[in-house]
Amino acid sequence: MQEKKLGKFFKNYVGKKSLFVNKSVLQASYMPNEINHRDEQIEQLASILAPTLRGDLPSNLFVYGKTGTGKTLTVKYVSEQLNKSAEEEKVLMEVVYLNCKLKKIADTEYRLVAQMARHFGKAIPPTGLPTDEVYNVFYKALDEEKKFVLIILDEIDQLVKKIGDELIYNLTRINSELKNSNVSLIGISNDLTFVNNLDPRVKSSLSEEEILFPPYNAIQIQDILRKRSKIAFQPKVIKEGVIEKCAAYAARDHGDARRALELLRVAGELAERKNNKIVKIEHLDSAENKIEKDRILELVRSQPKQFQITLYAIILKNSLQKEKVYTGEIYDYYKKICNEISLRPLTQRRVSDIIAELDMLGVINGRVLSKGRYGRTREISLSVPKFIEPKIIEILEENLEIERKNELF
DNA sequence: CGAGATTCATGTGAAGTATACCTTTAGGCTTAA
DNA sequence: AAGCCTAAAGGTATACTTCACATGAATCTCGTA
């Protein structure tokens, strides 16, 4: 009986016409054939990189602009085109793209260099080798044959914040170590003030050229949404006003096009799931919630155990009491939880760092303040929407195999 | 009453430790001549 | 004797701990008006 029901469900599902024609067009990884409203930046970028084709070394480049302003997309696009032209001109070139924010992949000097070496087919163990050795392997890989290498470091500000700017200094000096190849760097950053806090030597060599990506305005976002949705959706499934509203949402905070596209895609998915034939404005609202929820839940899920326990302590402690919570209380509570699931607690020193990192991730909000006679501590509050909290708790309890005691509530 | 000293709770930097993983080296065993 | 495997030695990165000092405003102290 169940079998029959399911069969029918699947058959229906297949028979049902999807609202989408090509959903991937709305995904962040999608590379459009042409990039709108970024002509100026593309031109700049192209003219800076063009000397490659004549065998000259282009300047290092620093690209900055807020999230969702098309930095990554544009840089990838131009470098791909350049790569194609280079092939035609019989110039050997290689583009290495790395996102420095990815935990466990490119968030330390060792891992970053290792990752770049792996790009050239070298096997580098996750630990054990001296960093110098990894550099050597990387240099050798670069220098095997005469070529031009373009290294793109996305979200470079995150990396420097974490491990300092010496790494970039090393990278800018690569060329003097190489006999055959030439390397130039492109740094991409969300933080507009990032370069100013760099060591002057690093600063001058990294930002020989700079390109600024201003936010899109609402009209530009509308245009982008229209063009893409024309490919992504069936004709006439989007109700009037939806695109405008979507653009307005995104323009509200600094013209984030990625966000607008995601919003539209999720709204479409929601409409489809509810068997609606048309994407309406109310879908946008629920899409906004869903995106935020998914993002945070995924973030929480991917955290290491100790981070999860710390977060769990913060959430519960926070919902238990109305007043602000402080590091000390959190730590006591954290220890209690560790006891309950028989796990050796970390020291307060470490937990303090973990709290700071959770702050960086944007899950919580921490602020160091001095309470005069009563010492100095971090005042901690959650920075996730209230309606997500229960879900986070659920995930954490599942992951940590915690049985919640009623006394906690 | 107010300037300066004191105090508290924890932030924060530096150095040390445990762990997991790497390469190299040396010894022991097998194998083939 | 040469080749191969294994285990020990010696080395590294990373996550964490230990130690010690820094912070900064509420509170206290004490001289002064």
Side-chain angles (χ1 to χ4, degrees):
Chain A
M1 185 187 101
Q2 207 170 31
E3 199 179 314
K4 213 171 171 185
K5 209 167 146 193
L6 257 183
K8 201 174 163 194
F9 172 80
F10 285 134
K11 198 168 176 189
N12 259 339
Y13 185 86
V14 174
K16 196 162 56 182
K17 221 167 121 194
S18 166
L19 297 178
F20 292 101
V21 179
N22 183 358
K23 199 193 286 184
S24 68
V25 173
L26 297 178
Q27 250 133 21
S29 54
Y30 176 72
M31 175 66 73
N33 294 327
E34 56 171 329
I35 299 177
N36 309 117
H37 308 295
R38 285 293 176 246
D39 301 336
E40 198 183 312
Q41 283 78 13
I42 291 176
E43 215 166 279
Q44 280 182 44
L45 199 49
S47 64
I48 291 167
L49 295 180
T52 318
L53 296 175
R54 283 208 302 262
D56 296 331
L57 180 66
S59 312
N60 290 328
L61 167 65
F62 180 65
V63 172
Y64 57 109
K66 295 254 174 75
T67 44
T69 49
K71 302 181 296 293
T72 306
L73 187 67
T74 307
V75 170
K76 273 189 171 173
Y77 175 78
V78 174
S79 56
E80 263 174 38
Q81 294 300 320
L82 181 70
N83 207 349
K84 263 186 212 159
S85 306
E87 247 166 59
E88 283 165 19
E89 299 288 322
K90 303 272 185 286
V91 178
L92 268 179
M93 82 167 279
E94 188 86 34
V95 178
V96 183
Y97 172 85
L98 273 179
N99 187 330
C100 307
K101 204 174 66 176
L102 297 175
K103 229 175 185 178
K104 299 272 183 185
I105 292 185
D107 60 348
T108 69
E109 181 173 17
Y110 179 91
R111 297 211 257 241
L112 187 109
V113 179
Q115 200 60 32
M116 291 195 291
R118 286 191 199 110
H119 182 93
F120 291 97
K122 305 287 170 190
I124 307 285
T127 169
L129 293 189
T131 308
D132 291 357
E133 188 57 32
V134 183
Y135 267 109
N136 283 336
V137 173
F138 178 52
Y139 288 160
K140 215 175 261 172
L142 286 176
D143 229 3
E144 263 166 10
E145 50 185 338
K146 183 171 171 56
K147 65 187 164 229
F148 168 75
V149 180
L150 184 62
I151 300 179
I152 303 171
L153 300 176
D154 207 345
E155 318 231 17
I156 195 173
D157 48 325
Q158 304 276 330
L159 186 66
V160 171
K161 206 181 281 174
K162 197 161 174 190
I163 62 170
D165 50 18
E166 200 172 318
L167 162 74
I168 307 180
Y169 181 67
N170 287 338
L171 290 180
T172 56
R173 288 176 37 99
I174 285 187
N175 281 323
S176 55
E177 303 276 331
L178 299 179
K179 290 196 190 72
N180 299 321
S181 300
N182 280 319
V183 173
S184 80
L185 291 174
I186 297 183
I188 304 182
S189 158
N190 295 324
D191 182 357
L192 309 185
T193 63
F194 168 68
V195 251
N196 299 329
N197 307 325
L198 287 175
D199 184 309
R201 289 174 309 173
V202 178
K203 182 179 169 183
S204 63
S205 58
L206 176 63
S207 52
E208 287 167 343
E209 301 274 358
E210 295 186 5
I211 299 182
L212 171 70
F213 281 67
Y216 296 106
N217 63 36
I219 298 179
Q220 290 169 333
I221 292 186
Q222 275 183 34
D223 186 44
I224 294 169
L225 287 176
R226 284 221 178 78
K227 287 202 170 121
R228 291 232 200 161
S229 62
K230 213 172 269 176
I231 315 175
F233 286 99
Q234 301 281 0
K236 293 189 183 152
V237 294
I238 297 186
K239 197 174 176 198
E240 255 173 59
V242 168
I243 287 192
E244 287 76 4
K245 187 84 191 283
C246 193
Y249 268 150
R252 190 177 50 195
D253 40 21
H254 68 256
D256 185 339
R258 185 193 325 168
R259 203 177 139 73
L261 288 165
E262 195 181 12
L263 201 58
L264 194 60
R265 174 174 58 84
V266 175
E269 285 170 3
L270 286 175
E272 190 170 276
R273 199 171 305 165
K274 282 189 199 152
N275 280 327
N276 293 1
K277 296 239 174 355
I278 301 180
V279 182
K280 295 184 208 142
I281 287 182
E282 65 232 43
H283 293 133
L284 279 183
D285 294 323
S286 25
E288 197 170 38
N289 284 342
K290 185 175 186 312
I291 289 171
E292 181 70 355
K293 187 167 146 191
D294 288 354
R295 191 183 67 83
I296 292 174
L297 294 186
E298 194 41 51
L299 188 67
V300 170
R301 225 190 297 268
S302 65
Q303 290 311 307
K305 206 163 197 172
Q306 294 291 355
F307 283 59
Q308 293 190 343
I309 300 173
T310 310
L311 183 61
Y312 186 68
I314 293 171
I315 292 194
L316 284 193
K317 196 77 194 163
N318 208 303
S319 59
L320 269 178
Q321 60 187 60
K322 280 278 178 290
E323 306 105 68
K324 309 279 183 188
V325 286
Y326 303 107
T327 307
E329 307 168 64
I330 295 294
Y331 185 64
D332 288 343
Y333 205 74
Y334 160 87
K335 269 197 298 196
K336 218 168 98 191
I337 295 168
C338 281
N339 259 330
E340 238 160 75
I341 59 177
S342 44
L343 204 83
R344 208 171 111 256
L346 300 178
T347 51
Q348 179 155 354
R349 177 69 185 82
R350 179 62 184 148
V351 172
S352 175
D353 278 352
I354 290 178
I355 291 174
E357 281 185 57
L358 287 173
D359 188 11
M360 289 265 286
L361 289 171
V363 190
I364 62 173
N365 219 309
R367 167 168 91 91
V368 182
L369 85 168
S370 186
K371 294 194 296 154
R373 188 68 218 290
Y374 306 104
R376 182 179 144 86
T377 183
R378 213 186 240 111
E379 182 184 279
I380 301 159
S381 58
L382 280 170
S383 64
V384 298
K386 260 279 185 272
F387 71 95
I388 300 181
E389 281 178 33
K391 195 77 191 161
I392 297 181
I393 293 176
E394 195 180 301
I395 286 178
L396 291 177
E397 280 168 0
E398 192 186 306
N399 266 8
L400 303 169
E401 292 168 21
I402 295 176
E403 298 234 352
R404 184 172 37 197
K405 304 239 174 76
N406 286 333
E407 45 147 323
L408 296 178
F409 267 98

